[in-house]
Amino acid sequence: MRVLVVEDESVLADAIAEWLRREAFAVDVVYDGGAALDRLGVHAYDVVVLDRDLPVVHGDDVCRSIVDSGGQSRVLMLTAAAAVRERVAGLALGADDYLPKPFAMVELSARVHALTRRTRPAAPPRLSRRGVLVDPARREVYRDGRYVALSRKEFAVLAELLRADGAVVSAEELLDRAWDEHIDPFTNVVRVTVMKLRRKLGDPPVIETVPGVGYQIP
């Protein structure tokens, strides 16, 4: 699940990004509205955490652009203007949610999680297949009842494979959904992560490689 954080206060932007990365999101960060529009033209984001009062291009115009594009990105608007009329105006622009500053990071991440559930078809609270059980809310994984400790990226990759419901997921898709834009597109990090996942999940193997296509849990 990929998130774009657009916030001109760099310390706050980086803090939000780090918090969401601990929640296993792939997060990109920009500090003005013009850069946000550039990123949105390249990547598909599940959620855009958008400051309203931005330099270069105002957050209101970024929000309008997202809505007018007809894409699936959900917008969580951040602003210091907490008056009811300001919140109503932000929602009228097409924002999906509105969070006034200052805010608690735990509430922000809860709202992001809620919005990501709206960008995809409804899925069960727990993901299960072939004896593997993933609880996204608690970030817990079990194999045949045995708890399996995973890194954030391993967890993200496993969750994407389970969400595919038996379909093949390409390495490029996993790279796009579980890592941010700074990752080298020619890296073998997906292959290495899947290899570690297989080892931790144990026998019999549940993740299959489809040569030249990707990975699946059939």
Side-chain angles (χ1 to χ4, degrees), residues 11-78:
V11 173
L12 176 59
D14 294 343
I16 293 171
E18 180 57 29
W19 184 277
L20 292 176
R21 286 175 183 137
R22 290 201 295 266
E23 300 280 323
F25 289 104
V27 185
D28 297 334
V29 183
V30 294
Y31 307 105
D32 66 72
L37 293 177
D38 289 342
R39 293 294 193 284
L40 288 162
V42 175
H43 301 293
Y45 292 96
D46 293 287
V47 175
V48 180
V49 178
L50 179 67
D51 183 31
R52 193 169 184 185
D53 189 15
L54 290 170
V56 184
V57 177
H58 196 275
D60 288 0
D61 295 320
V62 175
C63 185
R64 288 191 189 97
S65 178
I66 293 170
V67 173
D68 291 344
S69 72
Q72 296 299 309
S73 299
R74 301 294 183 177
V75 177
L76 171 57
M77 188 170 279
L78 304 177

Side-chain angles (χ1 to χ4, degrees), residues 127-136 140-143 148-165 169 174 178-179 190 193-194 197-198 200-201 206-207 215-217:
L127 304 167
S128 180
R129 197 174 186 87
R130 298 275 299 275
V132 177
L133 175 67
V134 170
D135 187 332
E140 293 178 347
V141 176
Y142 296 88
R143 172 71 191 274
V148 181
L150 299 181
S151 71
R152 286 180 289 173
K153 294 306 181 187
E154 291 163 357
F155 183 92
V157 168
L158 180 59
E160 290 297 335
L161 291 173
L162 288 171
R163 287 190 183 100
D165 196 26
V169 184
L174 291 172
W179 281 267
V190 172
T193 301
V194 170
L197 262 176
R198 284 176 173 142
K200 290 183 177 182
L201 291 173
V206 295
I207 302 175
Y215 305 93
Q216 68 176 153
I217 300 178

